[in-house]
Amino acid sequence: MPRTIAVNTWVWTSPLTDATIGPLARKARDLGYEALELPLETVGDWHPQRTRDLLDELGLGAIVVGAMGPGRSLVAKAGDVAATQDYLRACLETARTVGSRVVAGPFYAPTGVTWRMDADERAGAIAELRGSLAPLAAEAAESGITLAVEPLNRYETSILNTVEQSLDALSPLLGEGVGLALDTYHLNIEEKRPPDAIRTAGSAIAHVQVCGSDRGAVGDDHTDWPEILRALDDAGYTGALGLESFTGENATIAVAASVWRPLASSQDELAARSIAALRALEHA
């Protein structure tokens, strides 16, 4: 069966709001996308039930994405753990309303915040992460939702960079309620062979995000896309592929992700080229 192809509204705007979601949802549908990745930067930015009604009208699915801005962390050194747990509970409630089976994001520290750790400090941070995530994992599992934890590259976090690290850190929690969100951009930086990392992640994969190796469009970059898709098949992943790229106007992510230049002649072109490439791969 063809994979569901989603697009993150960060491709065009930040933050997503009630005023912007309608035009973007229609644009995504007209480009051929079948689902939207919906970032919840601040609770209340957009209305979950109205969004669900809109997406149902347009025949689009929903995937909720968390935004780990300043102060959001499940490790006390990097932020307010209790407030972050409350935020993630709001993400879960939003996911229930819009019909998303996944809440994806790097739920351990603010994106772009890094620090050095020796082995003991790292072990302590991982233990704290597990303890902070455990009650959320139970709540997610009760709702049939998976918190998909995303490893990021070394320039955006110092906690989880690779699939191997993530599996080790999250192993007591993986299963119902917790999985991995893999992003081809970060895999390209951190993994020796991204397809092998995908196969290693296996059944732990709960969501996959895609973009070109330069954070731009899929398909005209150096990523071996046929092999990436074969690895996802081998891993048994049948979920959506979500295009995640950014406009430089994104106040939450652009600086942390170092988006300093346009990644295509327009954001519409980036989205159109990406879905064309992904659909062509299905028939290759």
Side-chain angles (χ1 to χ4, degrees), residues 9-17 20 24 39 41 45 246-247 249-254:
T9 59
W10 273 331
V11 168
W12 292 284
T13 192
S14 168
L16 181 66
T17 67
T20 56
L24 290 181
E41 296 186 35
D45 277 347
F246 308 103
T247 167
E249 302 303 313
N250 185 323
T252 300
I253 301 294

Side-chain angles (χ1 to χ4, degrees), residues 1-6 37 63 102 104 146 148 180-182 198-199 201-210 228-242:
M1 294 293 292
R3 296 183 186 276
T4 295
I5 309 297
E37 287 191 350
I63 299 154
V102 168
T146 301
L180 299 186
L182 301 186
I198 290 169
R199 293 183 175 96
S203 62
I205 304 172
H207 186 53
V208 173
Q209 293 179 314
V210 296
I228 291 289
L229 295 183
R230 280 192 291 270
L232 289 170
D233 288 340
D234 292 344
Y237 178 73
T238 58
L241 303 178

Side-chain angles (χ1 to χ4, degrees), residues 47-57 95-99:
H47 191 280
Q49 187 58 58
R50 287 199 293 268
T51 297
R52 173 65 179 268
D53 294 343
L54 170 68
L55 297 183
D56 286 349
E57 176 189 336
R96 283 190 285 269
T97 301
V98 300

Side-chain angles (χ1 to χ4, degrees), residues 96-230:
R96 283 190 285 269
T97 301
V98 300
S100 174
R101 301 297 299 276
V102 168
V103 175
F107 303 135
Y108 35 83
T111 304
V113 172
T114 59
W115 66 92
R116 295 183 66 184
M117 290 182 281
D118 62 26
D120 289 341
E121 290 168 329
R122 177 171 291 279
I126 295 305
E128 186 180 3
L129 170 60
R130 289 173 179 168
S132 300
L133 188 59
L136 298 166
E139 293 169 30
E142 288 176 5
S143 298
I145 297 169
T146 301
L147 287 166
V149 181
E150 180 184 7
L152 302 181
N153 69 74
R154 71 193 71 184
Y155 309 109
E156 296 182 42
T157 189
S158 41
I159 296 185
L160 298 181
N161 302 128
T162 68
V163 164
E164 183 178 7
Q165 283 181 317
S166 302
L167 291 173
D168 179 66
L170 301 173
S171 57
L173 301 173
L174 289 171
E176 291 187 10
V178 175
L180 299 186
L182 301 186
D183 184 319
T184 61
Y185 176 79
H186 302 298
L187 294 174
N188 173 66
I189 295 172
E190 294 297 337
E191 303 291 351
K192 292 185 182 299
R193 277 192 47 79
D196 290 348
I198 290 169
R199 293 183 175 96
T200 296
S203 62
I205 304 172
H207 186 53
V208 173
Q209 293 179 314
V210 296
C211 68
S213 54
D214 62 346
R215 219 13 140 181
V218 171
D220 54 5
D221 59 311
H222 70 238
T223 303
D224 186 343
W225 288 106
E227 183 61 18
I228 291 289
L229 295 183
R230 280 192 291 270

Side-chain angles (χ1 to χ4, degrees), residues 30-114:
D30 292 347
L31 286 168
Y33 287 94
E34 298 158 314
L36 283 187
E37 287 191 350
L38 301 167
L40 186 63
E41 296 186 35
T42 302
V43 177
D45 277 347
W46 46 272
H47 191 280
Q49 187 58 58
R50 287 199 293 268
T51 297
R52 173 65 179 268
D53 294 343
L54 170 68
L55 297 183
D56 286 349
E57 176 189 336
L58 297 175
L60 294 173
I63 299 154
V64 173
V65 173
M68 298 301 284
R72 284 185 183 153
S73 178
L74 293 178
V75 177
K77 179 180 177 66
D80 186 329
V81 172
T84 302
Q85 289 173 319
D86 288 344
Y87 164 72
L88 291 174
R89 288 188 176 98
C91 288
L92 288 170
E93 180 60 33
T94 299
R96 283 190 285 269
T97 301
V98 300
S100 174
R101 301 297 299 276
V102 168
V103 175
F107 303 135
Y108 35 83
T111 304
V113 172
T114 59

